[in-house]
Amino acid sequence: MGIGTKRFNLMLKKILTTLFTIREPIGRLDFFKYGLSLWVIGILIFYFYMYRPNLLNLIPIDSVQKILNIIILIFVILWILFVFIASFILITKRFWDIFGKKTPAIICAIIFMIIAKLSKIIAPFLVIKGLLSIALIFTKGRTINNNIQPEKDNVGENQNTGEN
């Protein structure tokens, strides 16, 4: 393996760890970068899904088109699930950075996700979601900015040894 491959593997591991684990809070810039990336890729997949009939018309066999439609539908459903989970985790990590504690961050992220879903059918929730999104991007965090150590699950791990 070359140096570029190692660097790519480390970068991919960091991205996947960030998107699928709630181990530590993230700052404003990382939250913005990951959120924007999910949004751009989601828009691209949406347009691909909307224009897929034009792409599939190039294939003349009906059975192949049906199979491709099923594969594309499964892919889109998996992508929606991926975006939902990754968004929830990113929002939880950002709230964790703002509040400094993990449990209130999870509760606030659940409330935010409910507001986000309600904003698609009730207009005032769209304004609330927009304001909360802007606040998540521009609010300074306690944990990242003040170098406070994030919460650890094993608080009493080193009590007997006297180590910090």
Side-chain angles (χ1 to χ4, degrees):
M1 259 191 320
I3 294 175
T5 308
K6 278 186 174 182
R7 185 175 294 154
F8 176 76
N9 288 341
L10 288 173
M11 183 181 69
L12 186 63
K13 182 179 178 183
K14 180 184 178 221
I15 290 171
L16 292 176
T17 302
T18 300
L19 289 178
F20 291 111
T21 59
I22 306 175
R23 289 188 188 161
E24 59 186 18
I26 60 172
R28 294 180 286 180
L29 182 61
D30 286 339
F31 175 75
F32 180 75
K33 287 189 303 189
Y34 289 126
L36 185 65
S37 300
L38 283 175
W39 185 77
V40 167
I41 293 171
I43 293 292
L44 292 174
I45 288 176
F46 172 75
Y47 281 117
F48 173 75
Y49 184 71
M50 292 302 292
Y51 294 113
R52 84 184 187 301
N54 295 337
L55 297 173
L56 295 178
N57 286 336
L58 301 174
I59 302 170
I61 304 170
D62 285 337
S63 62
V64 174
Q65 280 186 337
K66 288 179 184 177
I67 292 171
L68 286 175
N69 274 337
I70 291 171
I71 290 172
I72 290 172
L73 183 64
I74 290 171
F75 176 73
V76 168
I77 290 170
L78 289 175
W79 178 255
I80 290 170
L81 186 64
F82 166 75
V83 168
F84 181 77
I85 292 169
S87 297
F88 176 75
I89 291 174
L90 285 175
I91 290 167
T92 301
K93 289 176 154 193
R94 185 67 191 121
F95 273 124
W96 186 3
D97 180 40
I98 292 171
F99 294 134
K101 295 189 177 191
K102 190 178 192 177
T103 306
I106 293 172
I107 294 168
C108 287
I110 291 170
I111 293 170
F112 182 86
M113 295 302 276
I114 291 170
I115 290 172
K117 294 303 168 198
L118 287 175
S119 71
K120 294 179 181 178
I121 55 174
I122 302 172
F125 284 109
L126 184 61
V127 174
I128 295 170
K129 177 192 168 205
L131 292 174
L132 282 173
S133 299
I134 291 170
L136 284 174
I137 294 172
F138 291 112
T139 304
K140 288 185 178 183
R142 290 183 182 178
T143 308
I144 300 295
N145 290 337
N146 296 333
N147 294 325
I148 298 172
Q149 292 296 324
E151 289 181 14
K152 298 200 179 194
D153 294 331
N154 305 338
V155 175
E157 187 174 296
N158 294 328
Q159 260 181 338
N160 296 336
T161 60
E163 296 176 13
N164 289 331

